[in-house]
Amino acid sequence: MKIRTVLLVVCALLLSVIPAVRAQDDVFRVAAVAPSATNDLAFSQSMFDALTLIDEEMGDAFEFVFQDGTFVVDDAAVALRDWAASGEYDLIIAHGSQYGAILEELAPEFPEVSFAWGTDVNTFGLENVYAYTAAAEEGGFINGVLAASISQSGVIGVVGPIEVGDAKAYIDGFQSGATYANPDVEVLVTYIQSFSDVPLATEAAAAHVANGADVLTGSAQMVVGPIAVAQENELAWFGTQSSQADLAAESGVSFQVYRWDVILRDMIENIGGGVLGGEAYVLTLENGGLEIQVSESLDEESASIVTETIAALTEGIVSGEIVVLPEDPMATPEAGS
Amino acid sequence: MIEEIFTASVFASTLRLATPYIFAAVGETFSQKSGVLNLGLEGVMLMGAFAAFYTVYATGSVIIGLLAALIVGALMGLATAFISVTLQAEQGISGIGIYLFGLGMSELLFVRLIGTPVSIDGFPRLYIPGFSDIPVIGEIFFNHNLLVYAAFLLVPIAAFILNRTTFGLMIRAVGQNPEAADAMGVNVARVRYMTVIIAGTLAGLAGASLSIALLNVFQQNLTSGLGFIAVALVYFGRWTPLGVLLGSLLFSFVNALQLQIGSIGVNIPSEFAVMAPYVITIIALVFASKRAEKPTALTKPFRRGD
């Protein structure tokens, strides 16, 4: 009886110690939580694609787990705490601005674990927290210029989720770019106050079409509805966050794609060197974190014009010649050039 | 300004938005009239939406897709009935279980069988010669797909069944006083099974109306809370198909209106505009509930001899 008790105590002690010991091998392990599905064609997929790319690059030296569909913050908190307590992960990513408060509370409890979160630039002054965001207004500006250039009616429809974060940045940039290309263009913007309400987003896009829009864009995972509206009405579609080329096969023109892998490589290197956080990253056109992809469905001539326009605008934005969001919320050709 | 807001497209949008609510809430009316609360409507809708979408994706036939949604809805209705009627589980809790099952299973199947959002050719808009071209009226009433018309046709049929048939009488009797109905020789369990299966079938149809008629895409959690609103609309509609229709139209109209207001740039904060349908529904619900004729035996399992 005594031996059994001693064994039980020893086992319990071992179990309590083991999780605190980080896996001692050469594998870099990442755990990530995200609010929507890994195939949402938007925000969560952009991170999943980036981790998959890193996984392919690093092979056996990299592993990741991804918990998607965790829109409920409390559920995410449980996962994040479990991962941190397990000691198995070199980097824990909270991919969503709604997770900031959790991370601010959690990170000080696990100073040996590196955390990253976004989209935001606030590391809370903690040395084990990285923050990241995307200058989505840059790609929004380019998409806006292209949209205004091809619109025959001079009316463009935008369907947004909630007026915050990178969605707002994209839409602000889009409006600015559209006005930059055509000061008389009318940009109709509806924020539906939901990231996931596809039926409502669909009707919002339909309302824009009824009001004369012949070009559509939008941000967040509910854009699958507006894309279907664009396809049905044979209108042009501009996307952001991830490539939506497959779904918008006939209507897609260009897509701003978040390349989180650019900053993840840097984080991995830093963590390997013992720097667990304290830095904020921003995806930009300049650092290659924002990539504007041209739809393969465009004919050769159109694709060439679009590609050239993207290159010229990218150069202007990177050099500072074009101010994407001037103090005046609507850029003008005079202000921008 | 008024002319810019109250356009024909707003009214057409109202009819489209109301379609899934009508299917789901009319079905739920049958279920609740017999005394069974089915809170799992949302999960059944998701499964119906996925079944229809995947079948159309695989076969290209919207008719087979529709049948798939009806069958899946009926099966989930059968499962709900088994849990609520035979096992006599607490209906609210078991309904949440059905919802979570539908949410998770539809997502799992979607990821495994399709993987990423794709579009399909769903029910086309019907062109009705002589009607579709009528200015304003044609755009509002005669420019929709088949399922939109089916939803509105369902309302008088459901009202007739509930109010003018023996089956309807049995449903009402079972919902008001199951003991008395049982004493009169009505098989309470059988009636409840039938109504819950009807509710499931129509919830499957509601899901199909989204995935293969109105949106023609599928995504995880496509219904986004629509099924729960449908349950509220049954209370709003005072357990009558006509009341459910009016509630669905009111909720959808305010939604369509706020989208139009947003689109034309009327300077109202989008948060207030989006809140409006829910606030108006809650206010209407408060007034409706005072005169409500709630089935007395709603949520109460029937045990012979109790």
Side-chain angles (χ1 to χ4, degrees), chain B residues 31-244:
Chain B
S31 177
Q32 290 199 18
K33 271 280 192 188
S34 74
V36 181
L37 171 71
N38 182 6
L39 268 186
L41 222 52
E42 174 94 353
V44 184
M45 284 177 69
L46 280 166
M47 287 297 288
F50 177 76
F53 184 85
Y54 181 67
T55 308
V56 176
Y57 174 74
T59 67
S61 167
V62 289
I63 301 300
I64 301 175
L66 191 64
L67 284 172
L70 294 173
I71 292 166
V72 167
L75 288 174
M76 288 199 66
L78 181 65
T80 306
F82 179 72
I83 295 166
S84 299
V85 180
T86 303
L87 300 181
Q88 302 192 342
E90 207 285 319
Q91 291 173 12
I93 303 295
S94 61
I96 296 296
I98 293 284
Y99 156 61
L100 291 173
F101 171 79
L103 177 71
M105 183 56 80
S106 62
E107 178 172 344
L108 177 70
L109 292 171
F110 174 62
V111 171
R112 293 284 175 193
L113 299 175
I114 300 176
T116 188
V118 292
S119 60
I120 51 148
D121 291 326
F123 279 95
R125 290 186 184 185
L126 290 181
Y127 177 78
I128 306 171
F131 290 92
S132 296
D133 295 327
I134 301 171
V136 184
I137 300 290
E139 184 183 349
I140 296 173
F141 295 108
F142 303 110
N143 193 21
H144 300 288
N145 65 70
L146 188 65
L147 295 190
V148 175
Y149 300 115
F152 286 87
L153 191 62
L154 175 68
V155 175
I157 293 172
F160 179 79
I161 292 171
L162 284 170
N163 299 317
R164 295 277 186 272
T165 66
T166 309
F167 178 54
L169 184 64
M170 286 195 289
I171 291 171
R172 285 181 283 140
V174 164
Q176 288 297 340
N177 193 334
E179 291 79 12
D182 181 57
M184 295 292 288
V186 176
N187 187 328
V188 174
R190 185 189 295 166
V191 171
R192 287 186 168 176
Y193 257 84
M194 289 173 79
T195 58
V196 178
I197 290 171
I198 289 170
T201 307
L202 290 176
L205 186 54
S209 73
L210 288 170
S211 65
I212 64 169
L214 297 169
L215 311 177
N216 297 330
V217 291
F218 185 86
Q219 194 182 50
Q220 286 96 329
N221 195 19
L222 182 76
T223 49
S224 202
L226 207 145
F228 292 108
I229 293 169
V231 174
L233 286 171
V234 176
Y235 284 74
F236 179 99
R238 298 168 62 200
W239 293 271
T240 68
L242 184 62
V244 162

Side-chain angles (χ1 to χ4, degrees), chain B residues 6-50:
Chain B
F6 294 97
T7 60
S9 66
V10 169
F11 292 100
S13 176
T14 300
L15 302 190
R16 288 194 300 269
L17 283 167
T19 296
Y21 291 122
I22 294 171
F23 280 129
V26 166
E28 179 74 6
T29 302
F30 275 89
S31 177
Q32 290 199 18
K33 271 280 192 188
S34 74
V36 181
L37 171 71
N38 182 6
L39 268 186
L41 222 52
E42 174 94 353
V44 184
M45 284 177 69
L46 280 166
M47 287 297 288
F50 177 76

Side-chain angles (χ1 to χ4, degrees), chain A residues 240-259:
Chain A
T240 186
Q241 296 184 322
S242 284
S243 172
Q244 295 142 1
D246 288 341
L247 184 60
E250 288 146 29
S251 57
V253 178
S254 61
F255 309 96
Q256 171 174 242
V257 177
Y258 293 173
R259 295 288 307 269

Side-chain angles (χ1 to χ4, degrees), chain A residues 37 39 188 193 203 208 211 221, chain B residues 13 16 115 117 219-220 263 270:
Chain A
N39 58 356
L188 312 175
Q193 302 301 323
E203 285 301 326
H208 289 327
N211 289 316
Q221 63 267 30
Chain B
S13 176
R16 288 194 300 269
Q219 194 182 50
Q220 286 96 329
S263 179
S270 58

Side-chain angles (χ1 to χ4, degrees), chain A:
Chain A
M1 188 67 183
K2 277 183 179 175
I3 292 171
R4 187 181 295 174
T5 307
V6 170
L7 280 173
L8 281 171
V9 170
V10 170
C11 286
L13 283 171
L14 280 173
L15 284 171
S16 66
V17 169
I18 286 168
V21 180
R22 185 171 302 174
Q24 298 295 315
D25 54 29
D26 293 332
V27 179
F28 192 94
R29 291 185 176 84
V30 176
V33 65
S36 51
T38 54
N39 58 356
D40 67 356
L41 300 181
F43 185 67
S44 297
Q45 181 166 340
S46 65
M47 179 55 79
F48 185 77
D49 287 349
L51 288 166
T52 304
L53 187 66
I54 299 275
D55 191 32
E56 286 167 5
E57 284 174 7
M58 293 179 63
D60 293 340
F62 185 85
E63 285 176 5
F64 76 97
V65 293
F66 201 99
Q67 184 166 317
D68 65 350
T70 318
F71 190 77
V72 178
V73 174
D74 289 344
D75 293 345
V78 172
L80 291 168
R81 180 171 289 280
D82 284 352
W83 288 332
S86 76
E88 290 178 13
Y89 298 99
D90 300 282
L91 174 64
I92 295 172
I93 301 173
H95 190 55
S97 49
Q98 63 267 54
Y99 306 134
I102 303 171
L103 221 58
E104 187 176 10
E105 187 183 315
L106 193 65
E109 290 182 43
F110 299 94
E112 301 300 315
V113 179
S114 179
F115 296 90
W117 81 292
T119 52
D120 208 296
V121 291
N122 190 356
T123 62
F124 312 114
L126 297 169
E127 290 184 357
N128 62 331
V129 173
Y130 288 107
Y132 60 83
T133 190
E137 66 276 12
E138 294 186 353
F141 185 91
I142 292 174
N143 276 353
V145 170
L146 290 167
S149 304
I150 64 170
S151 174
Q152 299 289 316
S153 66
V155 183
I156 300 169
V158 183
V159 182
I162 296 173
E163 205 171 348
V164 293
D166 63 315
K168 182 182 185 310
Y170 172 75
I171 291 170
D172 287 349
F174 186 91
Q175 286 180 285
S176 180
T179 315
Y180 176 90
N182 176 7
D184 297 325
V185 77
E186 195 179 354
V187 184
L188 312 175
V189 181
T190 303
Y191 284 100
I192 66 163
Q193 302 301 323
S194 167
F195 288 92
S196 60
D197 196 332
V198 178
L200 203 60
T202 304
E203 285 301 326
H208 289 327
V209 174
N211 289 316
D214 62 352
V215 177
L216 294 171
T217 190
S219 181
Q221 63 267 30
M222 81 304 177
V223 295
V224 295
I227 291 173
V229 173
Q231 295 271 101
E232 187 186 343
N233 293 281
E234 297 179 354
L235 306 178
W237 171 262
F238 291 86
T240 186
Q241 296 184 322
S242 284
S243 172
Q244 295 142 1
D246 288 341
L247 184 60
E250 288 146 29
S251 57
V253 178
S254 61
F255 309 96
Q256 171 174 242
V257 177
Y258 293 173
R259 295 288 307 269
W260 299 115
D261 52 293
V262 170
I263 59 165
L264 284 171
R265 286 190 197 93
D266 204 53
M267 283 184 205
I268 291 167
E269 196 179 324
N270 284 350
I271 293 166
V275 182
L276 300 184
E279 192 174 343
Y281 293 92
V282 182
L283 296 186
T284 63
L285 291 168
E286 187 176 10
N287 65 22
L290 296 177
E291 187 176 289
I292 312 297
Q293 294 181 359
V294 179
S295 172
E296 289 177 6
S297 65
L298 296 179
D299 61 68
E300 202 173 321
E301 189 185 349
S302 302
S304 170
I305 293 169
V306 169
T307 306
E308 282 173 19
T309 307
I310 292 169
L313 290 168
T314 301
E315 196 181 321
I317 292 168
V318 170
S319 68
E321 225 174 285
I322 295 174
V323 180
V324 170
L325 290 177
E327 284 189 20
D328 175 3
M330 292 297 132
T332 62
E334 291 76 26
S337 58

